[in-house]
Amino acid sequence: MEHTPKNMALQLGALITLVVSISSLLVLLFGVINLLFPDAADSYWQYESAQDSIRYAIASLVVFFPTYLVLTRKVNVARRHESGLYHTLTKWLVYFALLVGGLVILGDLVAVIMAFLNGELTTRFILKAGSILVVVGAAFWYYQKDALGYWNTRERESIRIGLITAALVAISVVYGYVQIDSPSETRDRAIDEQQINDLTDMQWRIEAHMATNGQLPESLTEVYEGLDMPESPEDRDAYQYEVTGETTYNLCATFTSDRQDRKDEYSYAVPVAEKGYNPQNYNWEHGVGETCFERTVTKPETL
């Protein structure tokens, strides 16, 4: 009895890490499914969201799943030496965890069905629903037997199931990692997006200068007088501003990722029918290397 509180804490910890591991595995599988079966209706931010969810799931599994295996192993060893009270308490904990986990998973299933009803691809729906049934079904099968003390006398079989599960999770983690951009690619793309933000700010200030002064600024220092002017990130060529005409100019930067022909969260609804708006001014697509964005502004008196 002296070790019952300690072992109860281990049992609770094992169940918590189990729920986190199952949720993370499903997030990983959902993200991979979204990447392998792209939907034409998806915008670029949804592609990015799928990659981010896979990264989060991999990080969670790397931390929580090994912890779950270690705690579960300790709990199973302790059960063979503890009293009947401990077995009764752990049984209640297991059933409670099954209840909470079941409610969470039912919520996930509702979300999957809602996505299907909102137009998600049938293939995605089938694979996601199947993932829930397989992953959660396997966990329920194991812990229903666990609540009945089935694994107390079948140590080798329990260890074998643990090893198989660990192998399947490891394969899922590796496969998910292969599907996403590498850390260096992710960092480069984030820097590219920051450059787009800087250029957007420059464009806004240049247009404001034209509206106030009736002419384009000769240099960017005019529009950032008294303010810190954005500088290109490390290892990138400096931003360039070039006046090409009375109402035209270029903004240039160097990029390391391709942002061509894609829908993304930086698309703007431009009222092209109204006088003074040029849809080209809102195009930030770029390839790898130096890209110059041609811009045209309208003089105040022509508005």
Side-chain angles (χ1 to χ4, degrees):
M1 286 290 293
E2 58 184 85
H3 297 298
T4 296
K6 170 187 172 182
N7 293 331
M8 283 293 296
L10 291 175
Q11 177 72 76
L12 182 60
L15 293 174
I16 292 174
T17 53
L18 169 67
V19 172
V20 175
S21 296
I22 289 178
S23 299
S24 299
L25 181 57
L26 288 175
V27 169
L28 172 61
L29 295 176
F30 285 10
V32 170
I33 290 170
N34 286 340
L35 292 181
L36 292 180
F37 300 92
D39 191 335
D42 287 348
S43 59
Y44 186 73
W45 74 264
Q46 289 171 301
Y47 168 81
E48 284 295 314
S49 178
Q51 291 222 21
D52 287 342
S53 67
I54 291 176
R55 294 186 188 99
Y56 164 79
I58 289 176
S60 295
L61 286 171
V62 167
V63 174
F64 281 94
F65 187 70
T67 303
Y68 161 72
L69 292 178
V70 171
L71 292 178
T72 299
R73 177 61 180 163
K74 290 181 176 294
V75 166
N76 289 341
V77 171
R79 284 179 176 177
R80 298 181 178 91
H81 302 91
E82 283 284 358
S83 65
L85 175 61
Y86 174 67
H87 290 292
T88 300
L89 293 175
T90 54
K91 182 183 296 186
W92 276 98
L93 274 179
V94 170
Y95 278 127
F96 180 74
L98 289 174
L99 174 62
V100 174
L103 293 175
V104 172
I105 300 308
L106 286 176
D108 288 342
L109 191 56
V110 168
V112 170
I113 295 174
M114 281 291 296
F116 172 70
L117 295 176
N118 285 328
E120 185 173 63
L121 293 175
T122 303
T123 303
R124 279 188 180 184
F125 166 71
I126 293 174
L127 291 176
K128 289 179 181 180
S131 298
I132 292 176
L133 294 177
V134 170
V135 173
V136 178
F140 268 71
W141 171 80
Y142 181 89
Y143 276 94
Q144 279 184 329
K145 288 182 173 294
D146 186 49
L148 299 174
Y150 180 85
W151 306 113
N152 290 342
T153 57
R154 295 170 175 82
E155 183 177 2
R156 289 187 177 180
E157 186 178 350
S158 177
I159 292 175
R160 184 166 59 251
I161 291 175
L163 292 175
I164 293 173
T165 303
L168 292 175
V169 171
I171 292 172
S172 299
V173 167
V174 172
Y175 189 75
Y177 182 81
V178 171
Q179 299 303 313
I180 62 177
D181 296 334
S182 68
S184 61
E185 290 173 331
T186 302
R187 181 176 181 277
D188 285 339
R189 192 174 60 254
I191 293 177
D192 286 348
E193 298 300 344
Q194 180 56 50
Q195 291 194 132
I196 293 296
N197 290 336
D198 291 344
L199 295 179
T200 301
D201 184 69
M202 293 176 187
Q203 177 179 326
W204 175 81
R205 293 180 183 278
I206 291 170
E207 292 179 354
H209 185 279
M210 168 64 89
T212 301
N213 301 282
Q215 62 181 15
L216 290 170
E218 293 184 3
S219 68
L220 290 175
T221 55
E222 290 186 43
V223 297
Y224 283 96
E225 187 175 359
L227 301 173
D228 292 331
M229 187 170 67
E231 296 182 357
S232 59
E234 57 189 51
D235 302 327
R236 303 288 180 94
D237 293 337
Y239 296 134
Q240 296 181 36
Y241 165 67
E242 178 186 11
V243 178
T244 58
E246 189 177 6
T247 59
T248 59
Y249 65 94
N250 289 340
L251 287 173
C252 305
T254 302
F255 302 94
T256 57
S257 64
D258 196 338
R259 199 184 182 196
Q260 304 270 14
D261 301 325
R262 78 188 195 194
K263 296 178 292 182
D264 57 62
E265 66 272 37
Y266 294 95
S267 296
Y268 297 93
V270 184
V272 295
E274 294 186 15
K275 191 175 182 180
Y277 286 93
N278 184 348
Q280 180 62 26
N281 285 359
Y282 297 83
N283 176 24
W284 294 106
E285 292 182 353
H286 60 75
V288 176
E290 185 181 57
T291 301
C292 289
F293 302 95
E294 300 178 358
R295 296 294 184 253
T296 302
V297 293
T298 305
K299 283 190 171 183
E301 61 268 23
T302 61
L303 289 175

